[in-house]
Amino acid sequence: MPVKREYQQISQRARSLLAKPEGVDVDFKREINGIKSRDLVSFANSSQGGAILVGVDEYTNKAGLQRGRVVGCDVDDSARLSLINKATDCYPIVDIELVVENISNKPFFRIEIPPGGKRPYCTQRGEYAIRADARSRALYPEELLAMFMDREGELFLTRFREAVAQLEQRLGQMDHAFGSGMEQLVIHLDELDSQVRRTLTRVDQMTDSAKKRSRNMLQALRDSQDSIAGLEALLVAQNGNPSGRLEIMRDIRTRLDQLTENLNPGDGQSE
């Protein structure tokens, strides 16, 4: 539902503000020129924000209580632009919501200022203020430091969560690639084992050239054993409690040992 920006009469929100004295969440200003960037900053730096009623005088009623009385003010485009410029003169820019009240009688502005999400705010002159009681006061050094720490802490947590999410995604991709690669290697080793077994019955008929190729193949397998052993040791060193990956590596190493035994020419055959 869109926020209503204009009221012919006085809204319930404005009535509730007029019925209370100036305080931490409301301020009365007779004219637009009475608003300073410091006023906007003080509400934006507070934990609950607040509202400024422009075109409203403060008076004391019969009970001796201070309240707000509508006197009206200009609410044309020039007046709106003046208020917006005061908000943009703050650093960071203060978010404000302008609402025109009581158009049919004595129009006035209700400026809603939510608590800022980028605290602490200051004026272009470097003034840091906060709303306290019925006035704006300077921020104490410890208050200013606490706001800076809160803001930087939120930024750090946001960036840290993003970095962790990216790391988890990359690790997941690496884990998938590693697992797929190991499965393919196991399949190839199975195929190689079958081929070796089929040729064992013809080992006695091998020529010197074939036997030389066999020795070369044996040496390659032994080199592979060394590489697998090294990779296995690396996994243990980097992960004190390896799981599936280390089991796959050990399975591959066992298969290589079997192939080496099958190809080893030292079991009664001459080289």
PDB file of all heavy atoms in Angstrom, residues 53-71:
ATOM      1  N   LEU A  53       7.658  18.727  13.016  1.00  0.00           N
ATOM      2  CA  LEU A  53       6.471  19.386  12.473  1.00  0.00           C
ATOM      3  C   LEU A  53       6.839  20.830  12.169  1.00  0.00           C
ATOM      4  O   LEU A  53       7.194  21.602  13.086  1.00  0.00           O
ATOM      5  CB  LEU A  53       5.311  19.329  13.470  1.00  0.00           C
ATOM      6  CG  LEU A  53       4.866  17.918  13.903  1.00  0.00           C
ATOM      7  CD1 LEU A  53       3.650  18.007  14.817  1.00  0.00           C
ATOM      8  CD2 LEU A  53       4.559  17.048  12.696  1.00  0.00           C
ATOM      9  N   VAL A  54       6.771  21.189  10.870  1.00  0.00           N
ATOM     10  CA  VAL A  54       7.133  22.544  10.440  1.00  0.00           C
ATOM     11  C   VAL A  54       5.847  23.326  10.187  1.00  0.00           C
ATOM     12  O   VAL A  54       4.976  22.879   9.429  1.00  0.00           O
ATOM     13  CB  VAL A  54       7.983  22.516   9.161  1.00  0.00           C
ATOM     14  CG1 VAL A  54       8.491  23.919   8.848  1.00  0.00           C
ATOM     15  CG2 VAL A  54       9.127  21.535   9.297  1.00  0.00           C
ATOM     16  N   GLY A  55       5.747  24.539  10.777  1.00  0.00           N
ATOM     17  CA  GLY A  55       4.498  25.298  10.739  1.00  0.00           C
ATOM     18  C   GLY A  55       3.720  25.084  12.016  1.00  0.00           C
ATOM     19  O   GLY A  55       2.498  25.250  12.059  1.00  0.00           O
ATOM     20  N   VAL A  56       4.449  24.725  13.078  1.00  0.00           N
ATOM     21  CA  VAL A  56       3.834  24.445  14.374  1.00  0.00           C
ATOM     22  C   VAL A  56       4.590  25.205  15.463  1.00  0.00           C
ATOM     23  O   VAL A  56       5.831  25.161  15.502  1.00  0.00           O
ATOM     24  CB  VAL A  56       3.839  22.926  14.673  1.00  0.00           C
ATOM     25  CG1 VAL A  56       3.351  22.663  16.092  1.00  0.00           C
ATOM     26  CG2 VAL A  56       2.983  22.181  13.660  1.00  0.00           C
ATOM     27  N   ASP A  57       3.849  25.889  16.306  1.00  0.00           N
ATOM     28  CA  ASP A  57       4.429  26.614  17.438  1.00  0.00           C
ATOM     29  C   ASP A  57       4.255  25.800  18.712  1.00  0.00           C
ATOM     30  O   ASP A  57       3.296  25.031  18.847  1.00  0.00           O
ATOM     31  CB  ASP A  57       3.727  27.963  17.625  1.00  0.00           C
ATOM     32  CG  ASP A  57       4.598  29.115  17.158  1.00  0.00           C
ATOM     33  OD1 ASP A  57       5.793  28.881  16.915  1.00  0.00           O
ATOM     34  OD2 ASP A  57       4.060  30.234  17.014  1.00  0.00           O
ATOM     35  N   GLU A  58       5.152  25.990  19.637  1.00  0.00           N
ATOM     36  CA  GLU A  58       5.010  25.366  20.948  1.00  0.00           C
ATOM     37  C   GLU A  58       4.316  26.359  21.874  1.00  0.00           C
ATOM     38  O   GLU A  58       4.644  27.555  21.895  1.00  0.00           O
ATOM     39  CB  GLU A  58       6.378  24.982  21.506  1.00  0.00           C
ATOM     40  CG  GLU A  58       6.305  24.178  22.793  1.00  0.00           C
ATOM     41  CD  GLU A  58       7.687  23.805  23.308  1.00  0.00           C
ATOM     42  OE1 GLU A  58       8.604  24.630  23.166  1.00  0.00           O
ATOM     43  OE2 GLU A  58       7.842  22.696  23.865  1.00  0.00           O
ATOM     44  N   TYR A  59       3.345  25.892  22.668  1.00  0.00           N
ATOM     45  CA  TYR A  59       2.649  26.761  23.614  1.00  0.00           C
ATOM     46  C   TYR A  59       2.392  25.989  24.898  1.00  0.00           C
ATOM     47  O   TYR A  59       2.527  24.758  24.939  1.00  0.00           O
ATOM     48  CB  TYR A  59       1.337  27.270  23.007  1.00  0.00           C
ATOM     49  CG  TYR A  59       0.211  26.262  23.040  1.00  0.00           C
ATOM     50  CD1 TYR A  59      -0.795  26.343  24.000  1.00  0.00           C
ATOM     51  CD2 TYR A  59       0.161  25.207  22.122  1.00  0.00           C
ATOM     52  CE1 TYR A  59      -1.816  25.409  24.044  1.00  0.00           C
ATOM     53  CE2 TYR A  59      -0.860  24.280  22.154  1.00  0.00           C
ATOM     54  CZ  TYR A  59      -1.853  24.381  23.117  1.00  0.00           C
ATOM     55  OH  TYR A  59      -2.848  23.459  23.163  1.00  0.00           O
ATOM     56  N   THR A  60       1.997  26.696  25.929  1.00  0.00           N
ATOM     57  CA  THR A  60       1.683  26.094  27.225  1.00  0.00           C
ATOM     58  C   THR A  60       0.175  26.174  27.449  1.00  0.00           C
ATOM     59  O   THR A  60      -0.415  27.275  27.409  1.00  0.00           O
ATOM     60  CB  THR A  60       2.414  26.822  28.371  1.00  0.00           C
ATOM     61  OG1 THR A  60       3.819  26.796  28.125  1.00  0.00           O
ATOM     62  CG2 THR A  60       2.127  26.137  29.693  1.00  0.00           C
ATOM     63  N   ASN A  61      -0.452  25.042  27.643  1.00  0.00           N
ATOM     64  CA  ASN A  61      -1.908  25.015  27.812  1.00  0.00           C
ATOM     65  C   ASN A  61      -2.303  25.386  29.244  1.00  0.00           C
ATOM     66  O   ASN A  61      -1.445  25.678  30.092  1.00  0.00           O
ATOM     67  CB  ASN A  61      -2.481  23.651  27.401  1.00  0.00           C
ATOM     68  CG  ASN A  61      -1.942  22.512  28.266  1.00  0.00           C
ATOM     69  OD1 ASN A  61      -1.399  22.734  29.352  1.00  0.00           O
ATOM     70  ND2 ASN A  61      -2.115  21.292  27.789  1.00  0.00           N
ATOM     71  N   LYS A  62      -3.612  25.326  29.543  1.00  0.00           N
ATOM     72  CA  LYS A  62      -4.110  25.735  30.858  1.00  0.00           C
ATOM     73  C   LYS A  62      -3.592  24.856  31.986  1.00  0.00           C
ATOM     74  O   LYS A  62      -3.509  25.289  33.141  1.00  0.00           O
ATOM     75  CB  LYS A  62      -5.636  25.713  30.847  1.00  0.00           C
ATOM     76  CG  LYS A  62      -6.243  26.734  29.901  1.00  0.00           C
ATOM     77  CD  LYS A  62      -7.761  26.672  29.920  1.00  0.00           C
ATOM     78  CE  LYS A  62      -8.371  27.705  28.979  1.00  0.00           C
ATOM     79  NZ  LYS A  62      -9.862  27.635  28.973  1.00  0.00           N
ATOM     80  N   ALA A  63      -3.251  23.637  31.641  1.00  0.00           N
ATOM     81  CA  ALA A  63      -2.733  22.722  32.670  1.00  0.00           C
ATOM     82  C   ALA A  63      -1.239  22.905  32.884  1.00  0.00           C
ATOM     83  O   ALA A  63      -0.628  22.193  33.685  1.00  0.00           O
ATOM     84  CB  ALA A  63      -3.040  21.272  32.277  1.00  0.00           C
ATOM     85  N   GLY A  64      -0.656  23.866  32.163  1.00  0.00           N
ATOM     86  CA  GLY A  64       0.770  24.108  32.312  1.00  0.00           C
ATOM     87  C   GLY A  64       1.648  23.157  31.517  1.00  0.00           C
ATOM     88  O   GLY A  64       2.865  23.079  31.755  1.00  0.00           O
ATOM     89  N   LEU A  65       1.025  22.443  30.562  1.00  0.00           N
ATOM     90  CA  LEU A  65       1.764  21.491  29.752  1.00  0.00           C
ATOM     91  C   LEU A  65       2.076  22.080  28.386  1.00  0.00           C
ATOM     92  O   LEU A  65       1.240  22.789  27.799  1.00  0.00           O
ATOM     93  CB  LEU A  65       0.955  20.199  29.583  1.00  0.00           C
ATOM     94  CG  LEU A  65       0.562  19.477  30.880  1.00  0.00           C
ATOM     95  CD1 LEU A  65      -0.348  18.289  30.575  1.00  0.00           C
ATOM     96  CD2 LEU A  65       1.807  19.019  31.628  1.00  0.00           C
ATOM     97  N   GLN A  66       3.248  21.793  27.872  1.00  0.00           N
ATOM     98  CA  GLN A  66       3.642  22.300  26.559  1.00  0.00           C
ATOM     99  C   GLN A  66       3.119  21.376  25.463  1.00  0.00           C
ATOM    100  O   GLN A  66       3.262  20.149  25.542  1.00  0.00           O
ATOM    101  CB  GLN A  66       5.164  22.424  26.465  1.00  0.00           C
ATOM    102  CG  GLN A  66       5.722  23.505  27.380  1.00  0.00           C
ATOM    103  CD  GLN A  66       7.239  23.633  27.247  1.00  0.00           C
ATOM    104  OE1 GLN A  66       7.928  22.653  27.022  1.00  0.00           O
ATOM    105  NE2 GLN A  66       7.732  24.856  27.394  1.00  0.00           N
ATOM    106  N   ARG A  67       2.519  21.999  24.459  1.00  0.00           N
ATOM    107  CA  ARG A  67       1.961  21.259  23.338  1.00  0.00           C
ATOM    108  C   ARG A  67       2.257  22.006  22.034  1.00  0.00           C
ATOM    109  O   ARG A  67       2.834  23.088  22.044  1.00  0.00           O
ATOM    110  CB  ARG A  67       0.440  21.090  23.506  1.00  0.00           C
ATOM    111  CG  ARG A  67       0.040  20.270  24.721  1.00  0.00           C
ATOM    112  CD  ARG A  67       0.442  18.809  24.530  1.00  0.00           C
ATOM    113  NE  ARG A  67      -0.020  17.973  25.646  1.00  0.00           N
ATOM    114  CZ  ARG A  67       0.721  17.618  26.669  1.00  0.00           C
ATOM    115  NH1 ARG A  67       1.962  18.068  26.779  1.00  0.00           N
ATOM    116  NH2 ARG A  67       0.235  16.850  27.622  1.00  0.00           N
ATOM    117  N   GLY A  68       1.827  21.408  20.919  1.00  0.00           N
ATOM    118  CA  GLY A  68       2.057  22.034  19.624  1.00  0.00           C
ATOM    119  C   GLY A  68       0.787  22.659  19.066  1.00  0.00           C
ATOM    120  O   GLY A  68      -0.292  22.071  19.159  1.00  0.00           O
ATOM    121  N   ARG A  69       0.920  23.859  18.484  1.00  0.00           N
ATOM    122  CA  ARG A  69      -0.228  24.547  17.876  1.00  0.00           C
ATOM    123  C   ARG A  69       0.108  24.813  16.407  1.00  0.00           C
ATOM    124  O   ARG A  69       1.167  25.354  16.094  1.00  0.00           O
ATOM    125  CB  ARG A  69      -0.517  25.860  18.585  1.00  0.00           C
ATOM    126  CG  ARG A  69      -1.608  26.682  17.883  1.00  0.00           C
ATOM    127  CD  ARG A  69      -1.735  28.073  18.469  1.00  0.00           C
ATOM    128  NE  ARG A  69      -2.271  28.052  19.819  1.00  0.00           N
ATOM    129  CZ  ARG A  69      -1.711  28.642  20.864  1.00  0.00           C
ATOM    130  NH1 ARG A  69      -0.559  29.271  20.724  1.00  0.00           N
ATOM    131  NH2 ARG A  69      -2.288  28.602  22.045  1.00  0.00           N
ATOM    132  N   VAL A  70      -0.833  24.459  15.520  1.00  0.00           N
ATOM    133  CA  VAL A  70      -0.615  24.642  14.088  1.00  0.00           C
ATOM    134  C   VAL A  70      -0.785  26.115  13.721  1.00  0.00           C
ATOM    135  O   VAL A  70      -1.830  26.727  14.012  1.00  0.00           O
ATOM    136  CB  VAL A  70      -1.606  23.787  13.272  1.00  0.00           C
ATOM    137  CG1 VAL A  70      -1.427  24.059  11.781  1.00  0.00           C
ATOM    138  CG2 VAL A  70      -1.409  22.314  13.573  1.00  0.00           C
ATOM    139  N   VAL A  71       0.245  26.680  13.080  1.00  0.00           N
ATOM    140  CA  VAL A  71       0.180  28.055  12.581  1.00  0.00           C
ATOM    141  C   VAL A  71       0.295  28.085  11.057  1.00  0.00           C
ATOM    142  O   VAL A  71      -0.001  29.101  10.427  1.00  0.00           O
ATOM    143  CB  VAL A  71       1.292  28.928  13.214  1.00  0.00           C
ATOM    144  CG1 VAL A  71       1.069  29.052  14.714  1.00  0.00           C
ATOM    145  CG2 VAL A  71       2.671  28.375  12.910  1.00  0.00           C
TER     146      VAL A  71
END
